[in-house]
Amino acid sequence: MADPVYLDYAATTPVRPEVVDAMLPVLRGHWGNPSSIHRFGRLARAALDDARARLAAVIGASAPEIVFTRAGTEADNLALLGRARVASGGIAVSAVEHKAVLTTAKLIAKEGARLTLIPVDPAGRVRMDEVRRIVEEERPAMVSVMWASNEIGVLQPVGEIAAICHDAGVTFHSDAVQALGKVPVRVDRVAADLVAFSAHKLGGPKGIGALFVRRGTQVAPLIHGGGQERGLRPGTEDVAGAVAFAVAAELADAEREQTMRRLVGLRDRLEAGLRERVPGLLVNGADADRLPTISNVSIPGADSEMLLAAMDLEGIAVSSGSACSSGAVEPSHVLTAMGLPPETAGPSVRFSLWRDSTDADVDRVLEVFPRVIERVRT
Ligand code: PLP
């Protein structure tokens, strides 16, 4: 059997060897508690401070503005819930957010705040007329719009949204978990107050993330204990994880332009080949600016669960936009928000690429996918 093909890098990426190399000396040598005042603690503290400064530099922040968290979900929760605890008022989030934001926003609404879902156009872009209207008329305390979509890869106009919020005195949060390392994510150019990140989407390990908290933005901690991470994320810090995250982010950023140029070509060839070979196939979000790494397609008449299983049997790992809840497969909330009917929102597949993706991976998909589709359609 041919080598397995992994095209699910938006779910997670392998840890890069350089990242492992950077972690090992920390695990072996700088294992002290960064809060200890003795030599062991000071060594760990130095490694943590260095990681914080390096990650901050990648996004144009200053070191104290970085709060390390336990992954992206926690960073989103800290941003939304932590901010809601100090600044009451409504919250507006885009209808296409990751569940880490959407579910948290719904919780805030359950606690009494007004929740507004910002609609998107058929290409998956947030409707700017609605952003303006909501900010002007509803005056929410906070707006959250993701930098790039995990399902369809569409890039949102976060610079413009941040400026509108900034001018109106509204806090703006963006989930940049999928964007970092793939497009420039610079908080010195975009006036966001809070931005969430996760290491495992760009060659770092799982379980380490960060929240950028702009100087002067008040946020309450969600868990309570010691004063680590300026009191915003108590608990002994994961120093090796922080170092790994900084190294992964630096590497991805340094290689970004070259890698993404290559991946745009690969993605376009994949999409053109699929369109040619699979009648009725639609590329979701094709009319918007997108990450070069994500391609989401709908195949009317196919069953996406069967399709993914059949692809897996062929050795190709991809994922579906549909979420399985209470035994029923529901069409993706993202595709539904774009106005796709259940017949096209349901049967969708996400291919996601990364620096390890090759021409041979695309060739395999183009060979196998049409055959699998024919099988699951009949
Ligand atoms: N936000 C987006 C856009 C994501 O794609 C993910 C990961 O799937 C998350 C948040 C959650 O990140 P983590 O898995 O690090 O908790």
Side-chain angles (χ1 to χ4, degrees):
M1 190 166 158
D3 285 342
V5 170
Y6 184 82
L7 285 174
D8 200 15
Y9 291 105
T12 198
T13 60
V15 182
R16 293 179 64 151
E18 306 94 314
V19 171
V20 175
D21 289 345
M23 289 176 87
L24 287 177
V26 181
L27 293 169
R28 293 203 170 110
H30 300 172
W31 45 263
N33 185 325
S35 298
S36 301
I37 53 167
H38 47 61
R39 180 188 155 70
F40 295 85
R42 287 198 310 275
L43 278 173
R45 167 66 53 194
L48 182 63
D49 286 349
D50 182 57
R52 194 186 310 282
R54 289 165 72 177
L55 181 60
V58 169
I59 62 162
S62 63
E65 293 174 312
I66 300 291
V67 176
F68 285 111
T69 63
R70 210 108 329 269
T73 301
E74 192 187 293
D76 282 328
N77 273 259
L78 178 58
L80 267 62
L81 278 173
R83 182 64 190 157
R85 284 192 184 162
V86 295
S88 59
I91 176 164
V93 309
S94 89
V96 294
E97 294 299 306
H98 186 275
K99 290 281 161 77
V101 166
L102 215 46
T103 312
T104 309
K106 284 179 185 163
L107 175 66
I108 294 170
K110 227 175 176 178
E111 290 170 357
R114 171 181 183 162
L115 168 63
T116 306
L117 288 183
I118 310 169
V120 296
D121 68 15
R125 281 172 303 229
V126 157
R127 287 208 7 220
M128 289 307 296
D129 55 337
E130 280 294 306
V131 171
R132 277 187 211 97
R133 186 195 63 75
I134 290 163
V135 169
E136 273 166 29
E137 290 176 15
E138 296 183 12
R139 293 270 156 194
M142 184 170 21
V143 166
S144 179
V145 176
M146 67 204 315
W147 211 289
S149 165
N150 51 300
E151 272 192 40
I152 52 172
V154 166
L155 293 161
Q156 299 296 352
V158 283
E160 220 181 312
I161 302 169
I164 292 169
C165 290
H166 182 79
D167 290 350
V170 172
T171 304
F172 178 59
H173 165 257
S174 185
D175 175 336
V177 166
Q178 291 289 345
L180 188 64
K182 294 156 197 160
V183 289
V185 177
R186 299 284 307 193
V187 297
D188 48 356
R189 291 184 213 142
V190 170
D193 303 293
L194 301 159
V195 186
F197 302 101
S198 181
H200 75 100
K201 308 290 186 182
L202 70 160
K206 291 155 195 65
I208 181 86
L211 181 67
F212 160 76
V213 181
R214 192 174 295 281
R215 194 187 306 268
T217 304
Q218 298 301 313
V219 175
L222 302 185
I223 56 169
H224 304 278
Q228 292 95 342
E229 300 298 301
R230 293 194 292 117
L232 287 178
R233 208 300 177 183
T236 304
E237 301 91 336
D238 174 3
V239 182
V243 168
F245 191 0
V247 172
E250 272 181 352
L251 287 168
D253 195 53
E255 297 168 357
R256 180 170 45 76
E257 283 184 27
Q258 202 184 351
T259 304
M260 294 305 136
R261 213 174 302 127
R262 185 177 69 82
L263 293 183
V264 167
L266 218 52
R267 180 203 66 190
D268 289 351
R269 191 164 75 78
L270 172 70
E271 291 180 354
L274 289 176
R275 280 183 159 125
E276 208 180 286
R277 290 167 176 79
V278 181
L281 178 138
L282 302 164
V283 178
N284 296 312
D287 293 335
D289 272 348
R290 282 183 293 155
L291 292 175
T293 49
I294 293 183
S295 185
N296 183 304
V297 300
S298 285
I299 317 99
D303 176 307
S304 66
E305 294 305 297
M306 272 171 68
L307 183 51
L308 296 194
M311 289 292 277
D312 189 35
L313 279 176
E314 296 276 355
I316 302 177
V318 290
S319 67
S320 129
S322 311
C324 199
S325 62
S326 58
V329 178
E330 290 175 3
S332 139
H333 71 283
V334 175
L335 301 181
T336 303
M338 289 161 68
L340 268 67
E343 311 85 78
T344 36
S348 67
V349 172
R350 179 186 69 182
F351 299 92
S352 52
L353 318 171
W354 199 50
R355 59 191 294 280
D356 295 348
S357 303
T358 62
D359 274 306
D361 293 342
V362 169
D363 291 341
R364 263 299 288 299
V365 171
L366 293 180
E367 178 210 322
V368 171
F369 197 68
R371 178 156 43 86
V372 166
I373 289 290
E374 236 171 71
R375 224 186 304 145
V376 300
R377 262 180 172 167
T378 48

